[in-house]
Amino acid sequence: MTQRILYVRLPCNPIFPIGVVYLADLVHKLFPAVEQKIFDLGTVPPLDFNRALDRCIDQFKPTLVVFSWRDIQIYAPVGGRGGNPLQNAFEFYYAKNPLVRLRGALGGFKVATAYYGELWRNLGLIRRGLKRARRYHREVRLVVGGGAVSVFYEQLKHQLPKGTIVSVGEGETLLERLLRGEDFSDQRCYVVGETEPRERMIHENPTPIEKTACNYDYIQNIWTEFDYYLQENDFYIGVQTKRGCPHNCCYCVYTVVEGKQVRINPADEVVKEMRQLYDRGIRNFWFTDAQFIPARRFIPDAVELLQKILDAGMQDIHWAAYIRADNLTPELCDLMVKTGMNYFEIGITSGSQELVRKMRMGYNLRTVLENCRDLKEAGFNDLVSVNYSFNVIDETYDTIRQTIAYHRELERIFGADKVEPAIFFIGLQPHTHLEEYAFKNNILKPGYNPMSLMPWTAKKLLWNPEPLGSFFGEVCLQAWQQNPNDFGREVMKILEEKLGCAPLEKALTAPIESNNKELVTA
Ligand code: B12
Ligand code: SF4
């Protein structure tokens, strides 16, 4: 019997579902006879989820249902589902005024209900899809994967139907094996009720694949709502140029989800893929790599790609990405500007070299500044989002002063209105060094539930430990009160008023110390 694969992207803010698009594209290249359909619940109004899913299954009658789940954890400092989760949590934990605390508790309750509501709803959609598909094919198989599943695969084993194949990281090889009827037990996956996730499975290397340009003529054929993402001009459509990140940043799980081995997609293929989107009217692209330039040795690859984009004549595009700004050269800066990079995020986390080293981030902050000057020199005049996560480890008033000095220097380079301080607090994730650190320091106990949003667990997962936790709590509350629409800048202002600013040179030098080696050497 010919396989019929239905890809269901579970509800999500409308972010282009590049993961299922790539899976369907590869399957088509390997098995042209297989029938496929993409169904994106991100484009369906919530009240219609069940009905729309039923209708799709009734029409398509899949033999294999692939659910793709993008995000679960929601500690964002921005207005999210059911409110601003960070603000609500902070109001509840840190507000002195009982009325604000109460508001925080109510807000937190709202966020928790939205969170659990979504979790249960998505699990319900998976069960419903399976049940419905069984009406047509008793032997239908269910595979679940995607970003959220990669992070929380161990917890999901108690919640998914027996027989579900749960996949970690990229799913191409798993699907290929499944369709060939071959053993897939060596892939990063397990079968609910039949096999257990291997210990440290997420740390195993993904199977490399040779990526070629996605065939959008085909994708458009199997995805009726594709046009949804073409209609609005403000979508940044995902294009992946490489996989993997060689770094070790203490709180980050990307480096294990994608693996440490950086695998570059051939520049010609990336350009061919972009060209197809360009010809359909797309002008905004997001390079969905964990890092667009993961290390200095990948600079030539970035140069090659950007040069080829220029040579292809796509002159009026814009693009954005996560950029490690320590890996730039004047030539690369020039190409970035010429090819239309109009937004990038640098996740330096702290402006203190000492802390950056302790968090194992491998950044040289002085180099970042020099490269930012080159970028400005090359004509970059757009927005930079600088991600700061305060209080990750060993934060002191001194290191805060250094972060302020660093941030002010970035403002001097790009212009204060162009540098957006994005204040995050780390949402602790499983399989990270920070999790190990939390175990070692008795902040968390092995066996905790990283998906829990119960206040007592959430307070530890939303990483902001004492002694500075309450201080940051109060500063953030004050910032929301004074200037909720410019939260990041307000936080910086208040911190500077309270603590002052260090000389820049102090921020850039990290004394080698022997204490607090846990994260440096763990
Ligand atoms: C790029 C990126 C972004 C960009 C997206 C830009 C764009 N226009 O596409 C931006 C910066 C906007 C962004 C925002 C956010 N992101 Co984000 N993002 C990523 C990142 C780095 C890559 C995602 C990606 O597109 N990869 C490339 C594609 C091809 O891979 P993929 O979609 O994962 O699909 C592959 C596999 O997952 C697998 N797969 C997918 N589905 C299925 C299904 C089956 C059955 C199988 C077998 C396999 C499979 O195969 C696919 C092909 O290889 C990931 C981390 C990472 N390294 O994966 C986080 C990640 C997806 N983001 C995450 C989150 C939380 C967010 C935010 C909610 C953050 C926030 N707090 O504000 C926001 C908002 C997102 C939203 N929905 O509203 C989380 C989600 C997990 C979680 N914690 O719940 C991730 C995993 C990071 C993390 N570790 O926390 N993000
Ligand atoms: S450089 Fe970025 S993607 Fe790589 S490990 Fe660090 S935080 Fe994660």
Side-chain angles (χ1 to χ4, degrees):
M1 185 186 54
T2 320
Q3 290 274 14
R4 300 176 65 78
I5 310 180
L6 175 65
Y7 299 84
V8 183
R9 208 272 288 257
L10 285 164
C12 176
N13 287 351
I15 285 199
F16 191 74
I18 187 72
V20 289
V21 166
Y22 281 1
L23 290 175
D25 176 62
L26 186 87
V27 166
H28 179 65
K29 285 170 181 153
L30 295 173
F31 309 96
V34 168
E35 296 280 339
Q36 304 196 92
K37 184 174 173 63
I38 294 178
F39 177 57
D40 177 12
L41 281 163
T43 62
V44 173
L47 285 175
D48 278 348
F49 288 157
N50 286 340
R51 244 175 307 153
L53 179 65
D54 289 354
R55 213 179 312 126
C56 177
I57 290 176
D58 293 347
Q59 279 165 6
F60 188 70
K61 304 182 179 54
T63 57
L64 178 66
V65 189
V66 170
F67 276 97
S68 181
W69 195 338
R70 192 187 188 279
D71 42 45
I72 286 180
Q73 201 185 42
I74 47 161
Y75 296 124
V78 289
R81 305 158 240 190
N84 179 332
L86 188 68
Q87 182 175 0
N88 286 319
F90 272 33
E91 285 184 350
F92 179 56
Y93 296 134
Y94 304 116
K96 293 213 168 95
N97 179 336
L99 284 176
V100 178
R101 258 187 105 107
L102 180 67
R103 190 176 67 187
L106 293 174
F109 180 71
K110 223 169 91 198
V111 171
T113 28
Y115 170 81
Y116 284 110
E118 280 186 25
L119 201 59
W120 292 326
R121 183 203 59 208
N122 283 3
L123 291 165
L125 284 166
I126 294 174
R127 281 191 214 102
R128 187 183 185 101
L130 176 65
K131 206 168 143 210
R132 193 93 182 177
R134 277 199 178 133
R135 284 193 190 174
Y136 304 100
H137 299 284
R138 270 313 309 153
E139 299 307 313
V140 67
R141 284 222 79 163
L142 182 63
V143 201
V144 179
V149 179
S150 299
V151 179
F152 299 110
Y153 65 98
E154 283 164 324
Q155 289 68 41
L156 288 170
K157 78 176 175 188
H158 305 293
Q159 315 192 33
L160 290 165
K162 194 166 174 285
T164 307
I165 304 167
V166 181
S167 165
V168 174
E170 54 205 61
E172 280 86 345
T173 311
L174 170 64
L175 288 189
E176 181 184 350
R177 296 272 185 85
L178 201 58
L179 291 167
R180 292 195 197 285
E182 291 173 2
D183 177 41
F184 53 83
S185 56
D186 63 335
Q187 293 302 300
R188 296 194 292 174
C189 68
Y190 66 93
V191 184
V192 177
E194 293 172 24
T195 56
E196 284 293 312
R198 291 181 293 277
E199 185 88 3
R200 291 176 60 81
M201 188 168 81
I202 194 171
H203 294 274
E204 294 169 13
N205 290 332
T207 318
I209 56 152
E210 179 76 21
K211 174 82 173 68
T212 54
C214 179
N215 174 353
Y216 273 102
D217 284 337
Y218 173 70
I219 295 298
Q220 204 156 9
N221 261 331
I222 62 163
W223 181 14
T224 3
E225 307 87 20
F226 178 71
D227 283 355
Y228 178 92
Y229 293 93
L230 304 186
Q231 282 153 9
E232 305 280 334
N233 294 332
D234 56 348
F235 280 123
Y236 277 72
I237 302 295
V239 172
Q240 201 176 32
T241 81
K242 62 187 72 59
R243 289 182 177 174
C245 177
H247 293 282
N248 252 324
C249 306
C250 70
Y251 51 79
C252 179
V253 77
Y254 299 8
T255 170
V256 280
V257 170
E258 295 194 13
K260 292 204 183 303
Q261 186 85 41
V262 176
R263 293 151 292 149
I264 309 279
N265 298 339
D268 289 322
E269 296 297 319
V270 177
V271 173
K272 251 197 249 167
E273 183 169 316
M274 290 174 71
R275 184 81 225 183
Q276 295 177 58
L277 292 162
Y278 184 88
D279 290 342
R280 288 171 168 80
I282 296 296
R283 293 293 178 270
N284 295 333
F285 298 89
W286 188 293
F287 294 133
T288 62
D289 315 352
Q291 285 297 342
F292 183 61
I293 317 151
R296 290 199 80 76
R297 63 182 180 281
F298 301 106
I299 291 177
D301 299 286
V303 167
E304 184 194 351
L305 174 62
L306 296 182
Q307 188 59 53
K308 286 190 163 155
I309 291 174
L310 269 191
D311 297 346
M314 292 186 273
Q315 306 276 355
D316 54 344
I317 64 164
H318 285 129
W319 62 271
Y322 289 125
I323 304 276
R324 273 193 68 113
D326 50 342
N327 303 322
L328 302 182
T329 57
E331 182 195 14
L332 185 51
C333 292
D334 191 46
L335 278 167
M336 285 166 136
V337 175
K338 281 196 181 129
T339 47
M341 178 178 81
N342 69 339
Y343 176 76
F344 70 102
E345 295 195 11
I346 29 179
I348 52 172
T349 307
S350 166
S352 157
Q353 184 65 54
E354 184 188 349
L355 289 194
V356 164
R357 186 174 58 78
K358 283 183 176 166
M359 291 184 285
R360 305 168 147 216
M361 301 189 58
Y363 261 115
N364 182 321
L365 288 181
R366 197 185 295 276
T367 313
V368 171
L369 284 182
E370 280 157 16
N371 292 349
C372 286
R373 286 188 196 106
D374 286 345
L375 195 58
K376 181 70 189 174
E377 188 87 341
F380 181 79
N381 206 17
D382 285 293
L383 208 62
V384 190
S385 170
V386 190
N387 298 354
Y388 294 111
S389 294
F390 284 110
N391 206 13
V392 176
I393 171 175
D394 284 359
E395 186 86 79
T396 61
Y397 290 140
D398 260 339
T399 56
I400 301 170
R401 285 185 201 105
Q402 292 168 22
T403 296
I404 293 164
Y406 197 81
H407 187 70
R408 297 295 178 229
E409 186 61 21
L410 283 173
E411 287 183 335
R412 270 188 285 278
I413 295 173
F414 290 113
D417 57 327
K418 296 286 198 272
V419 189
E420 173 92 35
I423 312 290
F424 284 86
F425 284 83
I426 296 288
L428 187 117
Q429 297 201 327
H431 314 291
T432 56
H433 298 296
L434 197 61
E435 185 193 49
E436 271 172 43
Y437 174 85
F439 290 153
K440 273 197 194 133
N441 290 281
N442 287 323
I443 298 170
L444 283 170
K445 293 207 167 25
Y448 77 103
N449 177 6
M451 277 171 68
S452 168
L453 214 73
M454 289 301 152
W456 47 92
T457 317
K459 186 160 185 193
K460 293 175 182 169
L461 300 185
L462 178 56
W463 191 263
N464 184 29
E466 298 300 340
L468 283 184
S470 313
F471 169 75
F472 280 113
E474 281 163 34
V475 168
C476 290
L477 289 178
Q478 193 183 334
W480 274 306
Q481 203 179 29
Q482 286 173 195
N483 197 354
N485 296 325
D486 204 355
F487 172 70
R489 287 193 181 85
E490 196 65 23
V491 168
M492 288 303 197
K493 191 174 133 235
I494 298 171
L495 286 172
E496 187 164 5
E497 279 162 9
K498 283 187 188 294
L499 304 174
C501 179
L504 179 64
E505 200 44 39
K506 259 197 121 181
L508 301 181
T509 32
I512 306 288
E513 286 169 9
S514 55
N515 62 342
N516 254 314
K517 276 192 178 154
E518 290 100 323
L519 272 174
V520 186
T521 56

